[in-house]
Short mmCIF file of all heavy atoms in Angstrom, two decimals:
data_model
loop_
_atom_site.label_atom_id
_atom_site.label_comp_id
_atom_site.label_asym_id
_atom_site.label_seq_id
_atom_site.Cartn_x
_atom_site.Cartn_y
_atom_site.Cartn_z
N SER A 1023 -15.83 0.56 1.89
CA SER A 1023 -15.45 -0.45 2.89
C SER A 1023 -14.63 -1.67 2.28
O SER A 1023 -15.13 -2.30 1.27
CB SER A 1023 -16.68 -1.03 3.68
OG SER A 1023 -17.19 -0.07 4.57
N LEU A 1024 -13.55 -1.96 2.90
CA LEU A 1024 -12.63 -3.10 2.48
C LEU A 1024 -12.41 -3.94 3.67
O LEU A 1024 -12.40 -3.39 4.81
CB LEU A 1024 -11.25 -2.57 1.99
CG LEU A 1024 -11.17 -1.66 0.76
CD1 LEU A 1024 -9.69 -1.22 0.57
CD2 LEU A 1024 -11.62 -2.44 -0.48
N SER A 1025 -12.27 -5.23 3.43
CA SER A 1025 -11.84 -6.27 4.37
C SER A 1025 -10.41 -6.65 3.99
O SER A 1025 -10.21 -6.60 2.83
CB SER A 1025 -12.69 -7.37 4.65
OG SER A 1025 -14.04 -6.87 5.25
N PHE A 1026 -9.73 -7.18 4.94
CA PHE A 1026 -8.25 -7.75 4.60
C PHE A 1026 -8.16 -9.18 5.08
O PHE A 1026 -8.29 -9.45 6.32
CB PHE A 1026 -7.20 -6.75 5.18
CG PHE A 1026 -7.25 -5.32 4.76
CD1 PHE A 1026 -7.61 -4.30 5.65
CD2 PHE A 1026 -6.94 -5.12 3.42
CE1 PHE A 1026 -7.62 -3.08 5.18
CE2 PHE A 1026 -7.03 -3.71 2.98
CZ PHE A 1026 -7.37 -2.65 3.98
N HIS A 1027 -7.88 -10.05 4.24
CA HIS A 1027 -7.82 -11.45 4.50
C HIS A 1027 -6.27 -11.72 4.84
O HIS A 1027 -5.46 -11.31 4.05
CB HIS A 1027 -8.28 -12.23 3.35
CG HIS A 1027 -8.13 -13.69 3.36
ND1 HIS A 1027 -8.07 -14.59 2.29
CD2 HIS A 1027 -7.99 -14.54 4.41
CE1 HIS A 1027 -7.92 -15.84 2.80
NE2 HIS A 1027 -7.93 -15.91 4.03
N LEU A 1028 -6.16 -12.23 5.96
CA LEU A 1028 -4.77 -12.56 6.46
C LEU A 1028 -4.62 -14.23 6.48
O LEU A 1028 -4.93 -14.84 7.52
CB LEU A 1028 -4.53 -12.00 7.79
CG LEU A 1028 -3.35 -12.18 8.74
CD1 LEU A 1028 -2.05 -11.95 7.97
CD2 LEU A 1028 -3.41 -11.42 9.96
N PRO A 1029 -4.36 -14.67 5.39
CA PRO A 1029 -4.48 -16.14 5.25
C PRO A 1029 -3.58 -16.95 6.28
O PRO A 1029 -4.10 -18.05 6.62
CB PRO A 1029 -4.00 -16.58 3.80
CG PRO A 1029 -3.75 -15.17 3.12
CD PRO A 1029 -3.86 -14.08 4.10
N ALA A 1030 -2.38 -16.52 6.44
CA ALA A 1030 -1.51 -17.18 7.39
C ALA A 1030 -1.96 -17.31 8.77
O ALA A 1030 -1.71 -18.35 9.43
CB ALA A 1030 -0.16 -16.47 7.39
N ASP A 1031 -2.93 -16.54 9.23
CA ASP A 1031 -3.48 -16.70 10.48
C ASP A 1031 -5.00 -17.07 10.38
O ASP A 1031 -5.66 -17.22 11.33
CB ASP A 1031 -3.55 -15.40 11.28
CG ASP A 1031 -2.14 -15.03 11.89
OD1 ASP A 1031 -1.25 -15.93 11.78
OD2 ASP A 1031 -1.93 -14.08 12.41
N ARG A 1032 -5.44 -17.45 9.12
CA ARG A 1032 -6.95 -17.76 8.88
C ARG A 1032 -7.77 -16.81 9.49
O ARG A 1032 -8.83 -17.09 10.06
CB ARG A 1032 -7.09 -19.25 9.48
CG ARG A 1032 -6.23 -20.25 8.79
CD ARG A 1032 -6.30 -21.72 9.43
NE ARG A 1032 -7.61 -22.33 9.07
CZ ARG A 1032 -8.07 -23.42 9.51
NH1 ARG A 1032 -7.37 -24.02 10.53
NH2 ARG A 1032 -9.14 -23.92 9.17
N ALA A 1033 -7.48 -15.55 9.25
CA ALA A 1033 -8.29 -14.40 9.84
C ALA A 1033 -8.66 -13.37 8.86
O ALA A 1033 -8.12 -13.37 7.76
CB ALA A 1033 -7.32 -13.77 10.99
N VAL A 1034 -9.56 -12.53 9.12
CA VAL A 1034 -9.99 -11.52 8.36
C VAL A 1034 -10.22 -10.27 9.05
O VAL A 1034 -10.95 -10.29 10.25
CB VAL A 1034 -11.18 -11.87 7.35
CG1 VAL A 1034 -12.43 -12.15 8.24
CG2 VAL A 1034 -11.50 -10.81 6.45
N LEU A 1035 -9.73 -9.14 8.57
CA LEU A 1035 -10.03 -7.90 9.42
C LEU A 1035 -11.16 -7.28 8.62
O LEU A 1035 -11.12 -7.00 7.38
CB LEU A 1035 -8.71 -6.83 9.24
CG LEU A 1035 -7.56 -7.35 10.05
CD1 LEU A 1035 -6.72 -8.29 9.22
CD2 LEU A 1035 -6.79 -6.04 10.45
N THR A 1036 -12.30 -7.03 9.33
CA THR A 1036 -13.52 -6.52 8.83
C THR A 1036 -13.90 -5.01 8.87
O THR A 1036 -14.91 -4.73 8.45
CB THR A 1036 -14.51 -7.44 9.33
OG1 THR A 1036 -14.58 -7.37 10.79
CG2 THR A 1036 -14.45 -8.88 8.91
#
Side-chain angles (χ1 to χ4, degrees):
S1023 288
L1024 299 174
S1025 294
F1026 300 111
H1027 177 199
L1028 175 54
D1031 283 354
R1032 300 173 71 188
V1034 62
L1035 291 89
T1036 53

